[in-house]
Amino acid sequence: MELTGAVPALTAAYEVIRRPLGEILPRLSEVLSEAVPHLAAAELSTHCAHSPFKTAGDPEITGRLSTADLAPLLAAGTPGRPWQGTLDLAGAERPVLAVTSHATPRGAVLLLVRDTAATPVDENVTALVQALWDIVTSHFERLAAEAMPGALARSRTAAGTRARVIAELGEAYSAALTGVLGVLRSRTLDDAAARATATDLAVSALVELRAEAERDQQIAEEPADQAFARLAESLRPLVRYSPVRLELGAPDSVRTLAADVAHTARAVVRAVLMKALEQEAVTRVHVCWQINDDELRATVRDDGPGTLTPEALAPGRVRDRLDVFKGRLDVDAVPGWGTTVSATIPLRVSQDPAPDPLIALGERELEVLARLALGHRNRAIAQELHISESTVKFHVAKILTKLGVESRGAAAALFHAVA
C-alpha cells in the first residue's frame, strides 16, 4: 500500500486498527511491505499481559525470534527516532528497522527484519512508519485500559495459565540444568577441559533461562508504586481547575501487580472520582491504595453531602470491571459527612481454576460469539466484522459444536456466565 500523503497514511492506519488484535501485526506488515520491504515483523508490546510478543512473516525467521531479541531494542529505543542497523537474528546478520513508541506508558517496539541486500529507508518513510506505529500502540492502550469485562476475563485466564506454564518450565529446566552441572562437576570424569567447557555452557543456559523469566515477568506485571504513580498523574488534571483538594495515599508495598489488575484498579478509581466531583460542596477527596498478600483495596473518600449511591456508579461499568476479578464494591455514605467508596480486587489466583469453556474457541469465533451474545443477527455481525453472512453462519455452527450447546441462546448464556 502506498503511504505517501496524508490520506493514504490515514487509510493505512484505519486498515490496521480495524482488525482483530491477533491480525493487527500481519496487516501492519502488509501495509508497510511496499514502503519498507521486509521478510518478517515482530512486536514487543507491554500493553498485553498474556501475549506481549508477536511475529509475522517468514517462519524461518519468526520461529527463531524471541523476546530476548526485542527487549534490548525496547529498552534502548528512542520514541520518534526509528533506528536502522544490523542485528544477529535467526543465525545471520540482518538489516533491521526498529521503531519505538511510548504511546503506551510502558512502551512498545516494532521490528522489521529486512533482506540482507536492502538499502536504508528514507527518513520521510521512517517518519510515516513511526506515526503509524504510534497510532497502533495508542489503539492498544485504549483497548487495554477500556477493555470490556469479557475481554478482561479471557486476558486474566490466559495470563494466569501463562504464568503457571512459565513457572513450571522454569522449575523443570532449572532442575535439569542443575543436574547436568552436578554430573559435569563430578570428579569421576576424566576430561577436565570438556567438563569445564560444558559447565560454562550449562551455566550460561541457566542464567539465560532465569533472565528470560524475569523479562517476561517485568512485561506481564507492574510494580504497585509505579501503577499508583500513573493513576495519580491521570487524576491531577481532573481537579486542576477546581476548588477540590486531591490527597493521594500511595501503597506501602513493593510487590508487583498483574497488568490487567493495575489497569482495572486505575479505571475504577477514575470512574468513582469523576462521580464524586459531580456532587455539590465537595472540597476534599482522598484516594489511596492498600495492598496485602491477598487483595488490593482502592479507596476514594470525599467530604461531600454523603448522598452518593452504588447505583450512581453503574453507568461507568465499575461493578462489571470488578466482577471479572471476583472483586467487590462497598459504598459507605453518611449524610452531611461524605462518602467512602472502596473497591477490593483479590490478588491470589486459584491454583485449580475451573476450566474456561471459551478456551476452545479461536479469535474470530470469540468475536462472533461476543456479538451473538449481544443479540446481533448474522447480517449485523457480518457487517461489523467485514465478512460474509455465510462465513458468520459457519462460525456460529462451529461455536455451538465446540461449546456443546444446541442454540444461539444457550451459547450467549454461556458467554455471559463466563464473561
Side-chain angles (χ1 to χ4, degrees):
M1 176 179 289
E2 176 63 44
L3 294 181
T4 304
V7 172
L10 290 173
T11 301
Y14 169 72
E15 282 296 318
V16 174
I17 64 175
R18 66 188 283 264
R19 300 283 174 155
L21 276 178
E23 299 177 15
I24 283 182
L25 181 61
R27 183 54 181 157
L28 178 61
S29 178
E30 292 176 11
V31 165
L32 295 176
S33 61
E34 182 176 339
V36 186
H38 56 278
L39 304 175
E43 69 170 91
L44 186 58
S45 299
T46 57
H47 71 282
C48 186
H50 60 87
S51 56
F53 175 69
K54 300 181 181 70
T55 60
D58 186 350
E60 291 295 323
I61 297 176
T62 58
R64 301 173 68 179
L65 293 176
S66 71
T67 56
D69 297 309
L70 273 69
L73 295 173
L74 177 59
T78 301
R81 296 178 60 185
W83 176 78
Q84 298 186 66
T86 58
L87 294 176
D88 186 3
L89 298 173
E93 286 286 331
R94 302 178 186 275
V96 300
L97 173 64
V99 186
T100 305
S101 173
H102 278 189
T104 58
R106 301 175 67 200
V109 63
L110 171 69
L111 177 69
L112 301 180
V113 182
R114 311 189 67 209
D115 186 88
T116 53
T119 57
V121 184
D122 181 83
E123 288 186 2
N124 292 330
V125 175
T126 60
L128 283 171
V129 176
Q130 176 74 62
L132 181 56
W133 183 233
D134 285 338
I135 291 173
V136 171
T137 51
S138 296
H139 177 63
F140 288 158
E141 176 65 12
R142 184 185 64 80
L143 291 178
E146 303 176 8
M148 292 294 289
L152 280 173
R154 292 192 293 277
S155 173
R156 178 75 163 171
T157 300
T161 301
R162 177 169 168 266
R164 287 192 296 275
V165 170
I166 290 172
E168 292 167 1
L169 286 174
E171 292 173 0
Y173 282 114
S174 293
L177 291 173
T178 300
V180 169
L181 286 173
V183 172
L184 294 177
R185 287 171 175 164
S186 172
R187 295 183 179 181
T188 62
L189 297 177
D190 297 327
D191 192 340
R195 184 165 62 249
T197 301
T199 299
D200 289 341
L201 292 173
V203 168
S204 297
L206 184 58
V207 169
E208 178 58 30
L209 175 69
R210 290 174 177 168
E212 183 74 18
E214 291 174 0
R215 281 193 294 268
D216 200 274
Q217 183 182 39
Q218 290 170 358
I219 292 171
E221 298 182 345
E222 189 172 359
D225 57 345
Q226 294 182 21
F228 188 83
R230 287 180 56 193
L231 170 67
E233 185 179 351
S234 70
L235 296 184
R236 291 190 181 98
L238 299 179
V239 298
R240 182 171 297 159
Y241 301 106
S242 77
V244 177
R245 184 171 77 254
L246 179 63
E247 300 174 351
L248 300 170
D252 184 17
S253 174
V254 295
R255 71 170 294 166
T256 58
L257 303 173
D260 49 355
V261 169
H263 275 306
T264 297
R266 285 191 293 265
V268 167
V269 169
R270 283 194 297 267
V272 173
L273 176 60
M274 292 177 69
K275 285 297 179 181
L277 294 176
E278 291 177 2
Q279 304 175 101
E280 295 181 359
V282 174
T283 62
R284 181 174 61 87
V285 178
H286 181 78
V287 175
C288 71
W289 281 8
Q290 295 175 311
I291 300 174
N292 57 38
D293 290 340
D294 298 316
E295 62 186 25
L296 182 158
R297 186 179 180 86
T299 302
V300 179
R301 184 173 65 251
D302 68 62
D303 64 351
T307 57
L308 194 61
T309 64
E311 290 72 23
L313 301 173
R317 304 202 313 272
V318 170
R319 288 191 181 277
D320 289 343
R321 288 180 177 274
L322 292 174
D323 285 345
V324 170
F325 301 97
K326 300 187 184 303
R328 68 178 187 274
L329 185 73
D330 300 307
V331 180
D332 182 16
V334 181
W337 289 90
T339 306
T340 300
V341 180
S342 298
T344 303
I345 303 176
L347 299 180
R348 290 189 181 274
V349 179
S350 171
Q351 296 299 312
D352 298 302
D356 183 357
L358 304 184
I359 199 170
L361 303 183
E363 185 80 21
R364 179 65 85 181
E365 290 166 345
L366 283 170
E367 293 176 338
V368 172
L369 178 57
R371 287 160 174 80
L372 184 152
L374 293 174
H376 296 185
R377 309 309 301 171
N378 288 351
R379 178 173 297 178
I381 296 174
Q383 292 174 345
E384 292 171 11
L385 297 180
H386 303 282
I387 57 180
S388 68
E389 194 169 346
S390 61
T391 300
V392 174
K393 293 179 181 178
F394 172 78
H395 284 311
V396 170
K398 295 285 287 184
I399 290 168
L400 298 184
T401 300
K402 289 184 177 182
L403 297 183
V405 296
E406 297 181 356
S407 69
R408 297 166 66 98
L414 183 58
F415 177 85
H416 287 302
V418 173

